[in-house]
Amino acid sequence: CETLLFESLDTAGEGVIDSNSFLWFDVEKKRWRMKEAASAARARWDRSRRAVQRVVGQKDLLEFKQFLKSKYGSFLRAWRVALTANDSMTLHKTNFLKACANLGWHGDAKLLWLFF
């Protein structure tokens, strides 16, 4: 095991390990730090995007509820007539997206699904 480690670090094949044998480590450390910084930036961006989506999604949900109520008079009627034609107590995402299109809803139905 020690021989394998030594031979791996002695890339020049001189039988000696010196500070130049560890230059790759600085490159890897820099690459790792860049990945960590990119990951942290992505996480901040995702949190910000989710916060905006929450606000927009809640607003869209209220508008969608008002849209259903004005079009069908009640949520129960909208559920039975427009959203689940087979009187099911469940609604799958694909059926919801199709129902939104059929209803003429012009908002972001995929985002609305997250809040429905």
Side-chain angles (χ1 to χ4, degrees):
C1 182
E2 290 175 11
T3 304
L4 176 65
L5 181 61
F6 180 81
E7 289 173 354
S8 298
L9 293 172
D10 182 24
T11 56
E14 299 173 348
V16 176
I17 298 175
D18 58 7
S19 62
N20 291 331
S21 302
F22 293 95
L23 292 177
W24 63 272
F25 185 71
D26 290 332
V27 173
E28 287 301 316
K29 190 165 64 171
K30 184 178 179 181
R31 185 177 295 142
W32 180 80
R33 284 184 179 149
M34 289 174 60
K35 282 184 178 181
E36 286 295 311
S39 178
R42 174 65 190 218
R44 284 190 305 275
W45 186 83
D46 283 345
R47 281 192 303 274
S48 171
R49 184 175 55 96
R50 280 193 300 269
V52 168
Q53 281 182 335
R54 246 189 322 275
V55 170
V56 171
Q58 290 170 350
K59 182 179 135 300
D60 280 358
L61 180 60
L62 289 174
E63 289 175 5
F64 186 67
K65 285 180 174 181
Q66 289 172 348
F67 173 77
L68 291 176
K69 194 149 187 167
S70 69
K71 190 165 184 160
Y72 293 97
S74 73
F75 298 128
L76 182 59
R77 181 167 159 73
W79 181 268
R80 295 190 67 212
V81 173
L83 298 175
T84 59
N86 62 357
D87 284 335
S88 174
M89 292 304 293
T90 59
L91 179 62
H92 296 283
K93 183 178 181 178
T94 54
N95 294 342
F96 177 75
L97 297 177
K98 287 177 188 176
C100 286
N102 292 338
L103 287 168
W105 173 252
H106 298 293
D108 186 351
K110 288 181 181 178
L111 180 60
L112 183 60
W113 172 256
L114 298 174
F115 295 90
F116 192 71

